[in-house]
Amino acid sequence: MDTLETRELRYFVAVAEELHFGRAAERLGMAQPPLSRAIQQLERRIGVCLLERNRRGVCLTGAGEVLLHEGRAALDATAAATRRTRRAGGAETSGGPRNRLVLAVKAAASHELLQKLLAAYAAEPDAAEIEVVPCGMCEQPELLRDGRADVALMHVPFNSLAGFDSEELFTEGQVAILPAAHPLASRKALTMADISDVPDLPRARWANHGTYPPGPGPEIHDQTQLAQLIALGRTMAVFPESARAWLWTEHAAVPLTDAPPVVTHIAWPPHSRSLALAGLIRTATQM
């Protein structure tokens, strides 16, 4: 056996992620018996056991763990090929094909850099149309991998650059964003220890790959929600220095002296051959 079908991978990834045939079948919109048969046929074709089935449920074997990792990557690559081909052919826009790039950015980060980049690139001859897609915490790599974005502004240490080509753009410190009326807001500087356990002001929690870290702080879904909760005195957050651009009058930003620096990169899939993307990267690195 040399190849796997996309359908087989979708079936297996659903079962491997749910670890339950019933839930996986519901997720896939199919009945459970044909899904079970498809997984059994896949195991026979590959020649290895992918799932251990017992009275307590389903768990992955070592081979199953490998196929889950590889299968996700393969499905992302397939989705990316489809999306980028449709984008190149104008299927996602009215009026037929036109040169367009999708740029993924973390909401509220690198605001000034983004404005300068868009203005500088728009002045270039034959500049492509840039669609900016704001993301939540750590979402840019996923959008790059599955083709929803062509290029992204990513922030180390929050984002991983593994699997992408990238160029470093600039480095900045971090600030604690607090309610302006809170006593800590009057300080000229803070440390991470100062904000680690403030009883009346817990740290906001952003989802990472769909999972929220433990803690008493509110679960944050978007920047507007975060801004309002900070203004109401319900939470605080840590952001790169450039986040000052979106602060309200009810907010205060205090430098964190011992927080690690944040390095902003422009990143893209390594196999890209887009001339428009090359032009955007060249503009970014020359600013």
Side-chain angles (χ1 to χ4, degrees), residues 6 20 37 103 108 114 196:
T6 303
H20 190 282
R37 288 194 297 271
L103 170 62
L114 180 60
S196 65

Side-chain angles (χ1 to χ4, degrees), residues 148-258:
R148 284 177 288 169
D150 301 297
V151 59
L153 294 183
M154 305 231 279
H155 312 280
V156 176
F158 304 114
N159 298 129
S160 170
L161 298 173
F164 303 114
D165 286 343
S166 66
E167 288 285 349
E168 182 177 323
L169 299 183
F170 82 108
T171 300
E172 61 184 318
Q174 297 195 66
V175 294
I177 300 178
L178 310 160
H182 194 276
L184 289 176
S186 63
R187 302 267 293 272
K188 291 185 177 181
L190 293 167
T191 66
M192 294 299 293
D194 291 332
I195 63 169
S196 65
D197 186 19
V198 183
D200 62 334
L201 204 63
R203 287 269 298 273
R205 294 181 296 139
W206 290 88
N208 189 352
H209 302 295
T211 302
Y212 287 91
E219 296 181 354
I220 301 302
H221 308 291
D222 57 52
Q223 179 192 340
T224 301
Q225 177 203 17
L226 174 64
Q228 186 166 29
L229 289 175
I230 294 175
L232 291 171
R234 301 300 179 89
T235 190
M236 72 167 80
V238 174
F239 268 86
E241 181 83 24
S242 56
R244 290 178 184 272
W246 61 264
L247 297 190
W248 300 358
T249 55
E250 297 91 342
H251 299 156
V254 182
L256 290 165
T257 58
D258 58 349

Side-chain angles (χ1 to χ4, degrees), residues 5-7 9-10 13 70-80 146:
E5 297 180 4
T6 303
R7 174 184 58 84
L9 287 177
R10 283 196 301 107
V13 168
E70 298 290 345
R72 282 170 171 161
L75 291 174
D76 281 346
T78 301
D146 69 14

